[in-house]
Amino acid sequence: MTFSEMARTRQSCRRFDSRPVEQEKLERIVNSARLAPSACNSQPWRMTVIHREHMPDFAKCLQNMGMNKFTSNCPAFIVINEEAMNRTAKIGGRLLKQHYASYDIGILTAHLCFAAMEEGLSSCIVGWFDEKAIQKMIGLDPAKKVCLVLCLGYAVPEDTLRPKVRKDLSEIVKFL
Ligand SMILES: Cc1cc2nc3c(=O)[nH]c(=O)nc-3n(C[C@H](O)[C@H](O)[C@H](O)COP(=O)(O)O)c2cc1C
């Protein structure tokens, strides 16, 4: 698949098959994602891969206030937490009033989604979660920020392609 085909056909999956995700696939996905660019090559991230059979209660961390119920059927998760930026990224960010780590982690997450697609897997980025519960469950220092969780698995066969709802190009792009 070309990149434009992947961009057109990627969609958030909320209907996963119970089939487990192979360890080798998860390893290839995180290995591709680690090549993502970051400000000053700071790589201010860490990924924790969770196979559902090892942590059956993990989905509960994503379901506070009745949200993200679909995650109960998800066989694998990647928690992305923020690590310290290097000095240059920190100083640059301070001077320009930017928090580069957030952008870096967004790019990492996009790499994860497309790397998963290459492996025939579907994904859903989850930004609604109980941070403290995740920190406790994965043994993460409570001072470290959990940024996003990626749900991964095989989509059920009947999970068809939905039409994309997006702003018109003219609203979001200006050619000078
Ligand atoms: C930062 C971020 C947080 C998100 N959090 C959630 C979430 O908690 N639950 C959920 O079902 N989808 C979540 N999504 C998925 C978006 O709802 C989805 O990407 C958007 O509606 C576009 O749909 P598509 O991914 O199918 O193209 C999140 C996406 C992003 C980028």
Side-chain angles (χ1 to χ4, degrees):
M1 244 198 256
T2 62
F3 180 74
S4 57
E5 284 165 342
M6 288 174 95
R8 196 172 45 77
T9 55
R10 184 217 53 82
Q11 65 182 5
S12 296
C13 177
R14 298 183 182 90
R15 295 173 75 202
F16 291 102
D17 198 271
S18 55
R19 187 174 152 197
V21 178
E22 299 83 345
Q23 172 77 22
E24 320 80 73
K25 289 197 173 191
L26 292 167
E27 283 170 14
R28 283 196 293 266
I29 291 166
V30 289
N31 198 35
S32 291
R34 123 191 127 77
L35 305 178
S38 57
C40 307
N41 202 20
S42 189
Q43 304 162 65
W45 51 54
R46 188 157 296 235
M47 297 174 271
T48 304
V49 183
I50 297 151
H51 287 266
R52 203 167 157 250
E53 63 269 27
H54 296 305
M55 211 174 271
D57 287 340
F58 183 77
K60 287 188 191 140
C61 301
L62 315 175
Q63 296 177 345
N64 45 332
M65 293 172 75
M67 299 284 281
N68 295 322
K69 292 224 168 69
F70 72 93
T71 55
S72 294
N73 293 322
C74 178
F77 302 94
I78 302 178
V79 176
I80 303 143
N81 77 269
E82 186 178 322
E83 294 286 327
M85 282 181 275
N86 65 19
R87 236 171 93 77
T88 342
K90 251 190 234 167
I91 294 169
R94 218 171 284 145
L95 288 173
L96 273 74
K97 294 191 171 51
Q98 297 280 4
H99 184 64
Y100 292 122
S102 301
Y103 313 141
D104 297 340
I105 283 169
I107 298 168
L108 175 84
T109 308
H111 273 57
L112 285 169
C113 291
F114 288 110
M117 254 185 122
E118 194 183 21
E119 298 290 346
L121 292 164
S122 294
S123 65
C124 185
I125 301 168
V126 161
W128 178 270
F129 47 73
D130 180 339
E131 184 179 34
K132 285 194 170 54
I134 294 182
Q135 288 163 332
K136 197 168 167 210
M137 200 167 265
I138 68 170
L140 183 69
D141 179 343
K144 297 211 165 155
K145 188 176 172 57
V146 177
C147 299
L148 291 169
V149 176
L150 190 68
C151 301
L152 283 173
Y154 293 95
V156 295
E158 56 275 20
D159 198 36
T160 51
L161 195 62
R162 302 183 296 270
K164 288 270 177 226
V165 181
R166 295 294 190 265
K167 289 181 183 173
D168 192 78
L169 208 56
S170 62
E171 277 185 73
I172 57 161
V173 180
K174 181 175 168 182
F175 290 93
L176 295 178

